[in-house]
Amino acid sequence: MFGILLGLVVLMVLAYLGWSIIWVAPIAAGVVAITGGLDLLEAYTDTYMGGFVGFAKDWFPVFMLGAIFGKLMEDTGMARSVAVALTKVIGTSRAILGVLVSAAVLTYGGVSLFVVVFAVYPLALSLFREANISRKLIPATVALGAFTFTMTAIPGTPQIQNLIPMEYFQTDPTAAPAMGIIAAIIMAVGGYLYLRWQEKKLTAKGEVFTEPKDKKIVEVEDGDDPNFLLSILPLLTVLIILNIFRWDVVTALIAGIILIMLLNVTKFKRFIKSINSGANGSVIAIINTSAAVGFGTVVKEVPGFQRLTELLMGVKGNPLISEAIAVNVLAGATGSASGGMGIALEALGDKYYQIAQNTGISPEAFHRIASLSSGGLDALPHNGAVLTLFAITGMTHKDSYKDIFVVAVLIPVISVAVVILLASIGIL
């Protein structure tokens, strides 16, 4: 037990310091192996790499195709076209809502979080300028739309955080729709009301819009962008094939990619560069998550894991509580929603599936709670998406992290607690 906890501390501290999980995870796994009495070399070459390669084998096509889909949406101007159209409909007087909805639609349509940040930021800057709202709220507004309810809660989302639990619980992307919808409402409405409250507070203090020092990506250039109706078709295609036809996510993403290229055939010269960029970017993403899963595989092999399992399974009340705790803590430790969930489900997924079979709690509920919980403590200050968001917007942790914490950590954790409570008393 001590070795497992020590390994988690090593993982969390080094990740927080900004060190890559690609080599931090094997070190942390080595700590667990040594203290657990395993042969260090065998634990790395066999156990750790077995978990690493197994996850990569299962999920690399999804990571790669998802990244290519997002990059093509970005480079053809389709992502920007969707965001511009939505913000025009909502209007500058509701700038926060416009940015939030734009980010949410793109994320729910399958565009990666990082692409959404690049696509939406120039629009956010324009809207916040016209509404005279402090730029301090831009990171939290984008985070609420892209990092929360569309990533983990709304049934059918093609984001990886909603897909990973399918393998462990034999479910589909729409698992436990009532749970997901209730959690999504809590996150979206709660986060929006908080941001509006903060807007009024900052305005009352005289903190309004100021121009950014770096103006490299502040202009909205939509002259070359496709029509909105054409631009939203690839997003709808992915969702319809995945959730209505119930085909594999790989098929859905391939269909979306082909449609993007057909609708933008005059921009074919951009395709190779976009596909190369998306494919290359996906390698880092899959290796990061696979490294975290490899750590979880080593944890499963040490004697202390049995004691850890007993402690988690011994949490009083609904077993969904222990799952929520495990996924949240590990997502926070790794600074990654998919990485933390990967560790937790690799180590405990079989146990929770067995509990579902024995207790009558549906596997769909375990799927949804795992997905929801991955989007809580993952957004701590060392999270990669948070750091990227600050880098793009020119804000700092001091300027804006408090608001991100509320909308992307505190409210999502509350939503999980509410959903589990409702399930425990039989409402869900």
Side-chain angles (χ1 to χ4, degrees), residues 47-119:
T47 309
Y48 176 86
M49 288 308 300
F52 183 108
V53 172
F55 184 88
K57 173 181 175 292
D58 290 338
W59 290 102
F60 179 67
V62 178
F63 275 75
M64 183 185 70
L65 293 170
I68 291 172
F69 176 80
K71 193 61 181 168
L72 283 169
M73 283 290 296
E74 179 185 14
D75 289 352
T76 58
M78 283 184 145
R80 187 168 54 245
S81 174
V82 171
V84 167
L86 291 172
T87 53
K88 284 180 179 176
V89 170
I90 293 171
T92 56
S93 61
R94 292 183 290 275
I96 290 176
L97 183 62
V99 174
L100 163 62
V101 171
S102 298
V105 169
L106 290 173
T107 311
Y108 188 64
V111 179
S112 76
L113 313 184
F114 295 95
V115 170
V116 170
V117 172
F118 282 98

Side-chain angles (χ1 to χ4, degrees), residues 87 90-103 124 127-128 131 133-134 137-138 140-142 144-145 191-200:
T87 53
I90 293 171
T92 56
S93 61
R94 292 183 290 275
I96 290 176
L97 183 62
V99 174
L100 163 62
V101 171
S102 298
L127 288 171
F128 275 53
I133 300 172
S134 172
L137 293 180
I138 291 179
T141 305
V142 176
L144 176 59
Y192 177 65
L193 292 176
Y194 169 80
L195 290 173
R196 288 303 307 271
W197 177 67
Q198 275 293 91
E199 175 198 342
K200 291 175 183 176

Side-chain angles (χ1 to χ4, degrees), residues 298-328:
V298 174
V299 168
K300 281 177 68 175
E301 294 300 313
V302 297
F305 174 68
Q306 183 59 37
R307 177 62 182 145
L308 176 63
T309 302
E310 290 171 2
L311 284 174
L312 284 169
M313 299 303 171
V315 173
K316 291 184 179 180
N318 197 312
L320 296 173
I321 297 173
S322 69
E323 183 190 36
I325 292 171
V327 174
N328 252 306

Side-chain angles (χ1 to χ4, degrees), residues 169 171 175-176 179 320 352-353 355-357 359-368:
F169 299 114
T171 48
M179 279 184 161
L320 296 173
Y352 287 121
Y353 187 66
I355 289 174
Q357 299 298 311
T359 62
I361 299 175
S362 72
E364 286 79 8
F366 281 98
H367 170 135
R368 186 55 54 203

Side-chain angles (χ1 to χ4, degrees), residues 153-203:
I154 300 182
T157 176
Q159 296 297 327
I160 194 70
Q161 293 80 4
N162 184 48
L163 302 179
I164 290 175
M166 291 163 50
E167 176 185 351
Y168 297 92
F169 299 114
Q170 309 303 309
T171 48
D172 60 49
T174 60
M179 279 184 161
I181 291 169
I182 290 173
I185 291 171
I186 293 171
M187 289 186 225
V189 175
Y192 177 65
L193 292 176
Y194 169 80
L195 290 173
R196 288 303 307 271
W197 177 67
Q198 275 293 91
E199 175 198 342
K200 291 175 183 176
K201 274 183 62 180
L202 290 171
T203 302

